Amino acid sequence: MHPKIAISRRLRSTPWTSRLQQQGVKGFTVYNHMLLPTEFESVEADYWHLCEHVQVWDVGAERQVEIIGPDASKLVQWMTPRDITKTVVGQCVYLPLADENGKLINDPVGLKLDDQHWWLSVADSDVWLWAKGLATGAKLDVTICEPEVWPLAVQGPKAETLMARVFGDAVKDIRFFRFAKLDYQGHAFIVARSGWSKQGGFEVYVDDATQGQALYDDLFAQGEDLNVGPGCPNLIERLESGLLSYGNDMDFSHSPLESGLGGFLHLDADLDSLSMAALRRERDAGPTKKIVGLVVPAPYGELPIAERPFSSRHDDDCNFIGSQVWSPRYKHQLASAMISSDLLVDDTITIDMLDGSQVEARITSIPFDFAALDIEAAD
Ligand code: THG
C-alpha cells in the first residue's frame, strides 16, 4: 500500500484536486502548504508529452502575495535587489527576494497590476509573513494578503493554439512575461505568457474556483485533437532547461549571487533595497560558493545518486546536490550542485552513489550548454 497524504485545511487542495485524481495523478508534493502534483503517467512519459503536445498544469500552489497601497512599490523594491522602477503595469518580472544578509527569501514572479498593486507569485516559503513583518515594522502604507488565486498553466508547443481556441486570438498578442485581462464566459482572467518550462505557454491566474473548473474542463474538451493532457512542472524538462527550484537547488542559506541569479540584480543602482549592502560586499569579496550543473554519462548515469552524497577532492568543496534526474534526451544524469567557487567548469568531482560506488561527475554551467559539452540529443 502507498502511504497516504492526509488533505486538511492546513494542507490545502485547489479547485482542481479532485479532477487530478480522476485523471490519475500519481504523486503530489507540498508547496506553500498546498498540494502540487508531480507526476501523471510517469515523469519520463510526462516529459515527452510536454515537449510534443500541450499540458494543463494545476499550479495553484504558486500563491500570490498581494501588496496594495501607496507604499506597495516601495515595499517590493525593499525586498528585491532587482530594479523595479522601470517595470510597467502589465509586466511580469522575475524577482529574487533577499534579506538584510543577502540571503534568498524566495524567487517569485512579480506582476505589476497597477501603480499601487503588486502580486508576488511565490515559490515555497511564507513570503506574506515576511512582507507583513517588514511593512509593520517600517510603518508602510500597504495591505498584504494571500488572495484566493490559483494559477493554471498551459504549457507545450501547442499551448498557443489551445489558448487561442478558449480565449480568442488576443492571446497571440501577449508577449513573453507580459499579461492581459481576457474574457472567458463573461469573466476577466489575467493571462500571462509565462510558465515553469521552456516549451512555451501561458499562465491563467484563476480568481474564481467555479469559473476555473469550467475553464479547466473546457481546455480539455477543446484540446482533444491536440492531444492535451494533465501535467505539472516536470523535473526532467525544468532541469534540462536550467529553471531553478527554491528549496531544492538553493535556499535561505544561499545568496542570489551564489545561486547564479546575479544577472537579474542591479547592485550598482541607487535602490532602497534591504540586501543591497550585503550583496555588494559579497560581490566585491567574491562569493565562496556557486551553483553549477553536473553531468554523469551512461553507463553510470542511471544509477541513483544518494540524497546527500557529496564526497569530493576537498571535504569542504561541496555544499550539496540539489536536484538530479536522468535525461532520456541527452542520456546523462543531470544534477545541480552548490560547490566551492574555487572549482572550475570542466573539472570533475567525485560523487558517492547509493550503492557505495563512486563516479566522476563533470562540472558545468547551469543552464546546461549541451552543445558546448558535446552532448547530443537522442530524439
Ligand atoms: N510561474 C508563476 N509563479 C511561480 C513560478 C512560475 N512561482 C514559483 C516559481 N515559478 C518561481 N520561480 C521561477 C523561476 C524561473 C522563472 C519563473 C519563476 C522563469 N525564468 C525564465 C528564465 O529563467 O529564463 C525567465 C526569467 C526572465 O526572463 O525574467 O520563467 O513559473 N506564476
Side-chain angles (χ1 to χ4, degrees), residues 31 62 82 94 107-109 121-123 151 176-177 195-196 198 203 205 243-244 264:
Y31 196 90
E62 293 168 353
R82 179 171 188 169
Y94 181 46
D107 69 330
V109 177
S121 185
V122 297
F176 183 63
F177 262 48
W196 215 53
K198 292 277 180 183
E203 292 179 299
Y205 289 79
L243 290 167
L244 301 183
F264 292 109

Side-chain angles (χ1 to χ4, degrees), residues 21 45 61 64 70 88 93 107 119 131 138 165 170 216 254 271 273 278 282 298 311 313 341 354:
Q21 286 169 334
Q64 308 310 299
V88 297
V93 58
D107 69 330
W119 278 352
R165 286 183 192 173
Y216 189 91
H254 304 111
L271 302 173
S273 183
E282 185 189 332
S311 86
R313 294 169 306 176
S341 298
L354 265 185

Side-chain angles (χ1 to χ4, degrees), residues 11 40 127 131 193 220 225 266 273 302 368:
L11 175 43
F40 282 85
V127 172
R193 193 185 287 269
F220 280 91
D225 62 309
H266 297 96
S273 183
E302 279 185 277
F368 297 91

Side-chain angles (χ1 to χ4, degrees), residues 54-117:
V54 52
Q55 294 182 344
V56 180
W57 296 1
D58 172 359
V59 282
E62 293 168 353
R63 304 306 289 166
Q64 308 310 299
V65 175
E66 179 166 83
I67 304 173
I68 299 182
D71 290 334
S73 292
K74 185 180 165 75
L75 176 57
V76 175
Q77 188 65 81
W78 213 29
M79 291 194 286
T80 182
R82 179 171 188 169
D83 185 355
I84 58 151
T85 56
K86 291 176 195 75
T87 306
V88 297
V89 174
Q91 196 179 338
C92 306
V93 58
Y94 181 46
L95 293 178
L97 307 182
D99 70 8
E100 71 286 3
N101 299 314
K103 302 298 183 189
L104 269 176
I105 293 288
N106 201 292
D107 69 330
V109 177
L111 285 80
K112 188 169 178 179
L113 299 173
D114 218 328
D115 282 330
Q116 300 188 3
H117 190 176

Side-chain angles (χ1 to χ4, degrees), residues 336-358:
S336 74
M338 200 61 85
I339 66 170
S340 159
S341 298
D342 298 338
L343 296 182
L344 300 175
V345 160
D346 282 334
D347 279 358
T348 57
I349 196 163
T350 308
I351 298 176
D352 289 339
M353 310 296 280
L354 265 185
D355 66 359
S357 66
Q358 296 189 324

